[in-house]
């Protein structure tokens, strides 16, 4: 396996580096080939041995395991249960209900409402509107746009090529031819005449008879009787008294208090708002005309004066309590009794006789004549003559030539170019807009309405309900149920599983393993030698 990978590596190196193929011939002429174009008279045509790697197809026989299913059958005995229905007598207890009527006295409480009218002083706060003049000031921000420039650096990569050398090692294959003597064995067959004698048994069939006894089961029917108990239903008509309760309506009148009232329109005054009024101002130092009664005003000024009060109206609810007579109905409970007829069905036991047939198998002995064949083997002697071959081995020798490949390392230099990117920094001018907010103050007058709280007192009438507990009694009729046990008999059918032994055939599979041959084609490396013409520079004067 190592030798195979070594040959594969050599073949890859031959296809990658063409200069390495010339090195296998032992003549380093790859570097002299450019001079032959200038000195054509001093070049000689020669041939060198080249080799290439060829893969040949080789068939190999391998084996794989195949599993085969073989069907099998066997008989298995199993037990099967057949259901059989039977009857039996079961005693059970039935509880019959017996109803009883009872009367008891129950005490209960009645809550009677009693209404009382009361008054109380309730303080409350009334809000009176009041107007004021105020000035509010706010600041607004206005955007102002400006255009500015700035220097932005950016990086550019510039390519630079460099020449480098790489030293590598090539394994050169040198082949040598050797000879060796190989011993081998030859097998030669020699014929020999031999005689064989054996005894063979010849079958002879004879017919015979014999008496075979066997038993036959003959059915025999018998008539039998059996007694069984059944229940016959008997219906009886009975009567019973059932108490029931009737509610009778009784009308009556009662006086109730009804809450009512009315709306009254009341007036109230609200102080007027504060306003500005122009008031004339007279200058006492001014000259007064003799004909004028009063001096004329020379200027006016604004004076804050309260307006006259405003009269407003509102609706106020005045509660009242009135009495009225209401017609009511109350229900009085009355006990009554009614007679009801009902039917009762009871089961009376009755004994009956039933006839049935029973089949009984009676064994009976019989004899029959059976004819059969018997095989008797008679010995017979036989002889035959045959030719046998006896194998004789001989030792011989032969000379075999074989080739040995030896790998020699060789160092070479490869020149290649490398591209390297060098970063450079440049500057560029970028224009952009800047938004700046400028603050501007503004103001405006406005009126504010302020509600001034004012404490007031009002008289409120309200009703209070007080409950008075009153003790009362009443008679309540109720029924109780008492269960009386009663024993009865009934026929119950039940099922019994009867076991029966039977046979069935179970089919299965038996797995057998077999080795099946198959052919695989694989690639085997092989080195092929061939001649290539080359030109070699021989030098001047040679």
């Amino acid at each position: 396996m190592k030798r195979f990978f070594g040959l594969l590596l050599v073949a890859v190196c031959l296809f990658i580096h063409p200069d390495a193929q010339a090195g296998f011939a032992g003549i380093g002429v790859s570097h002299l080939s450019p001079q032959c174009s200038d000195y054509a008279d001093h070049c000689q045509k020669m041939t060198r041995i080249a080799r290439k790697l060829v893969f040949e197809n080789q068939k190999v026989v391998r084996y794989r395991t195949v599993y085969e299913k073989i069907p099998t059958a066997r008989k298995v005995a199993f037990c099967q249960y057949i259901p059989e229905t039977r009857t039996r007598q079961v005693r059970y207890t039935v509880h019959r209900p017996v109803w009883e009527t009872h009367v008891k006295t129950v005490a209960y409480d009645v809550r009677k409402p009693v209404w009382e009218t009361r008054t109380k002083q309730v303080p409350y706060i009334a809000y009176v509107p009041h107007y004021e003049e105020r000035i509010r000031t706010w600041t607004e921000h206005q955007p102002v746009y400006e255009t500015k420039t700035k220097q932005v650096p950016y990086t550019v990569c510039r390519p630079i090529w460099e020449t480098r050398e790489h030293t590598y090692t090539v394994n050169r294959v040198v082949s040598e031819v050797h000879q060796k003597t190989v011993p081998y064995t030859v097998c030669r067959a020699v014929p020999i005449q031999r005689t064989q004698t054996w005894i063979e048994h010849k079958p002879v069939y004879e017919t015979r008879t014999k008496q075979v006894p066997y038993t036959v089961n003959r059915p025999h029917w018998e008539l039998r009787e059996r007694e069984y108990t059944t229940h016959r239903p008997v219906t009886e008509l009975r009567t019973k008294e059932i108490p029931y309760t009737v509610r009778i309506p009784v009308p009556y009148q009662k006086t109730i208090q009804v809450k009512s009232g009315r709306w009254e329109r009341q007036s109230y005054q609200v102080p007027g708002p504060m306003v500005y009024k122009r008031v004339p101002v007279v200058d006492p130092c001014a000259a007064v005309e003799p004909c004028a009664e009063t001096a004329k005003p020379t200027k006016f000024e604004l004076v804050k004066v309260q307006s006259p009060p405003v009269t407003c109206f509102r609706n106020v609810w005045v509660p009242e309590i009135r009495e009225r007579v209401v017609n009511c109905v109350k229900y009085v409970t009355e006990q009554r009794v009614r007679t009801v007829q009902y039917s009762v069905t009871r089961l009376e036991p009755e004994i009956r006789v039933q006839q049935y047939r029973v089949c009984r198998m009676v064994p009976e002995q019989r004899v029959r004549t059976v004819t059969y064949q018997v095989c008797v083997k008679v010995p017979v002697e036989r002889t035959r003559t045959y030719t046998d071959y006896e194998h004789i081995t001989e030792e011989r020798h032969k000379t075999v030539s074989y080739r040995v490949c030896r790998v020699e390392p060789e160092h070479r230099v490869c020149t290649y170019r490398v591209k390297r990117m060098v970063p450079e920094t440049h500057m560029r001018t970028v224009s952009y807009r800047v938004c700046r907010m400028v603050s501007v103050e503004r103001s405006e007058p406005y009126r504010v309405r302020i509600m001034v709280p004012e404490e007031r007192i009002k008289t409120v009438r309200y009703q209070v309900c007080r409950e008075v507990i009153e003790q009362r009694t009443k008679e309540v009729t109720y029924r109780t149920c008492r269960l009386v046990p009663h024993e009865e008999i009934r026929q119950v059918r039940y099922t019994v599983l009867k076991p029966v032994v039977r046979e069935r055939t179970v089919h299965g599979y038996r797995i057998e393993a077999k080795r099946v041959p198959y052919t695989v084609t694989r690639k085997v490396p092989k080195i092929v030698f061939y001649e290539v013409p080359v030109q070699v520079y021989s030098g001047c004067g040679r």
Side-chain angles (χ1 to χ4, degrees):
M1 185 62 69
K2 293 182 179 179
R3 183 179 179 183
F4 170 73
F5 283 110
L7 293 176
L8 185 61
L9 180 62
V10 171
V12 172
C13 294
L14 287 174
F15 287 110
I16 294 176
H17 303 284
D19 295 341
Q21 296 178 3
F24 286 112
I27 304 173
V29 296
S30 60
H31 63 283
L32 300 177
S33 57
Q35 298 178 4
C36 291
S37 61
D38 299 333
Y39 306 98
D41 298 336
H42 303 285
C43 291
Q44 297 180 3
K45 293 184 178 181
M46 301 179 63
T47 58
R48 65 180 178 89
I49 298 176
R51 60 194 67 189
K52 64 179 179 179
L53 186 65
V54 179
F55 291 91
E56 293 183 351
N57 293 332
Q58 182 180 0
K59 293 186 178 181
V60 181
V61 179
R62 296 182 181 177
Y63 294 88
R64 63 167 172 260
T65 304
V66 177
Y67 295 94
E68 183 181 356
K69 285 186 177 181
I70 299 175
T72 58
R74 59 190 180 93
K75 290 188 177 182
V76 179
F78 67 98
C79 181
Q80 183 179 5
Y81 291 90
I82 299 175
E84 182 180 341
T85 304
R86 301 178 183 178
T87 58
R88 64 182 176 186
Q89 292 184 354
V90 178
R91 291 180 177 271
Y92 65 99
T93 303
V94 180
H95 291 80
R96 294 181 178 178
V98 177
W99 293 91
E100 297 178 358
T101 305
H102 303 275
V103 179
K104 65 178 179 180
T105 303
V106 179
Y108 64 97
D109 296 335
V110 178
R111 295 178 178 269
K112 296 177 63 178
V114 178
W115 294 90
E116 296 179 1
T117 303
R118 300 179 185 179
T119 60
K120 64 178 178 179
Q121 301 290 329
V122 179
Y124 69 98
I125 297 175
Y127 288 88
V128 181
H130 180 67
Y131 294 92
E132 293 183 0
E133 291 287 338
R134 297 183 183 179
I135 297 175
R136 62 180 178 184
T137 305
W138 74 91
T139 303
E140 290 185 356
H141 296 276
Q142 296 181 354
V144 177
Y145 293 93
E146 297 178 2
T147 303
K148 296 184 179 182
T149 59
K150 64 178 179 179
Q151 298 292 328
V152 178
Y154 66 96
T155 303
V156 179
C157 292
R158 183 170 56 85
I160 296 176
W161 292 90
E162 296 179 358
T163 303
R164 298 182 183 179
E165 291 183 354
H166 171 63
T167 303
Y168 62 95
T169 303
V170 178
N171 291 325
R172 186 164 55 88
V173 179
V174 179
S175 61
E176 298 176 358
V177 179
H178 298 270
Q179 290 184 352
K180 64 178 179 179
T181 303
V182 178
Y184 66 96
T185 303
V186 178
C187 185
R188 186 167 54 87
V190 178
I192 300 173
Q193 294 290 332
R194 294 184 181 180
T195 303
Q196 181 183 6
T197 303
W198 75 93
I199 296 174
E200 183 177 333
H201 294 271
K202 183 179 180 181
V204 177
Y205 292 93
E206 297 179 0
T207 303
R208 300 179 184 179
T209 59
K210 65 177 179 179
Q211 299 293 326
V212 179
Y214 65 97
T215 304
V216 178
N217 291 322
R218 184 170 52 83
H220 177 68
W221 293 91
E222 295 180 359
L223 189 64
R224 297 182 183 180
E225 293 183 354
R226 62 180 175 184
E227 293 183 355
Y228 66 96
T229 303
T230 182
H231 290 78
R232 182 170 53 85
V234 178
T235 305
E236 296 179 359
L237 193 63
R238 299 179 184 180
T239 59
K240 66 176 178 179
E241 293 183 352
I242 300 176
Y244 65 97
T245 304
V246 179
R247 301 187 68 186
I248 302 174
V250 178
Y252 70 97
Q253 292 182 346
K254 69 175 181 179
T255 303
I256 62 173
Q257 292 181 351
V258 181
K259 292 183 180 181
S260 64
R262 68 182 185 278
W263 291 96
E264 290 185 358
R265 189 175 180 84
Q266 296 182 0
S267 63
Y268 64 97
Q269 291 186 351
V270 178
M274 301 296 291
V275 297
Y276 289 93
K277 188 177 181 182
R278 294 181 66 188
V279 178
V281 178
V282 179
D283 189 3
C285 298
V288 180
E289 295 181 3
C291 296
E293 296 181 357
T294 59
K296 294 182 179 180
T298 57
K299 62 179 180 178
F300 295 88
E301 65 177 8
L302 293 175
V303 179
K304 202 171 187 180
V305 182
Q306 187 173 7
S307 301
V310 180
T311 302
C312 300
F313 296 92
R314 63 184 175 186
N315 293 328
V316 179
W317 175 259
V318 179
E320 294 181 356
I321 297 177
R322 298 178 183 179
E323 292 184 354
R324 68 175 180 179
V325 179
V326 181
N327 295 325
C328 301
V329 177
K330 66 178 180 179
Y331 289 88
V332 178
T333 304
E334 182 179 344
Q335 295 289 336
R336 297 182 182 179
V337 179
R338 62 183 175 188
T339 304
V340 179
Q341 289 186 352
Y342 65 97
S343 59
V344 177
T345 301
R346 56 186 178 83
L347 298 176
E348 291 186 356
E350 182 180 353
I351 299 175
R352 297 181 182 179
V353 178
Q354 180 184 9
Q355 293 183 351
Y356 63 97
R357 295 177 66 193
V358 177
C359 179
R360 184 167 55 86
M361 305 302 290
V362 179
E364 183 179 343
Q365 292 289 334
R366 297 183 182 179
V367 178
R368 62 183 174 184
T369 304
V370 179
T371 304
Y372 64 97
Q373 285 187 346
V374 178
C375 180
V376 180
K377 292 184 178 183
V378 179
V380 178
E381 184 177 350
R382 294 190 179 183
T383 304
R384 73 183 180 96
T385 303
Y386 65 95
T387 303
D388 192 5
Y389 291 89
E390 184 178 353
H391 294 274
I392 301 173
T393 57
E394 295 181 1
E395 287 288 337
R396 297 183 183 181
H397 294 81
K398 65 179 177 178
T399 302
V400 179
S401 299
Y402 65 96
R403 187 181 297 274
V404 177
C405 292
R406 181 167 46 86
V407 179
E408 293 181 358
E410 182 180 347
H411 299 282
R412 297 186 182 183
V413 179
C414 176
T415 303
Y416 62 96
R417 296 179 67 191
V418 178
K419 183 180 179 181
R420 184 167 57 89
M421 306 300 289
V422 179
E424 292 183 359
T425 304
H426 298 269
M427 303 293 289
R428 62 181 173 185
T429 304
V430 180
S431 300
Y432 63 96
R433 294 181 67 189
V434 179
C435 178
R436 182 167 53 86
M437 304 300 291
V438 180
S439 302
V440 179
E441 290 190 359
R442 297 188 180 182
S443 63
E444 75 175 342
Y446 66 97
R447 294 181 66 189
V448 179
R449 182 181 178 182
I450 302 175
M451 303 301 291
V452 180
E454 181 180 339
E455 231 180 75
R456 299 181 182 180
I457 297 175
K458 63 179 178 181
T459 303
V460 179
R461 298 177 64 186
Y462 64 96
Q463 284 189 344
V464 178
C465 180
R466 183 169 52 86
E467 292 184 349
V468 179
I469 300 175
E470 182 179 346
Q471 291 280 345
R472 295 182 183 181
T473 57
K474 64 179 179 178
E475 291 184 352
V476 178
T477 303
Y478 63 96
R479 297 173 65 195
T480 58
C481 178
R482 183 167 53 87
L483 298 177
V484 178
H486 176 70
E487 190 172 348
E488 296 183 359
I489 300 174
R490 62 180 177 182
Q491 298 287 334
V492 178
R493 301 179 65 185
Y494 64 97
T495 303
V496 178
L497 295 178
K498 186 177 181 181
V500 178
V501 179
R502 296 183 179 178
E503 288 187 354
R504 64 180 176 184
T505 304
V506 178
H507 297 275
Y509 293 95
R510 178 168 51 86
I511 298 176
E512 286 189 0
K514 295 183 179 180
R515 292 177 58 84
V516 179
Y518 66 97
T519 305
V520 178
T521 304
R522 65 177 182 180
K523 299 288 184 176
V524 178
K526 181 181 179 182
I527 297 176
V528 179
F529 297 89
Y530 62 96
E531 293 183 353
V532 179
V534 295
Q535 290 182 353
V536 181
Y537 176 70
S538 60
C540 298
R542 290 189 181 181

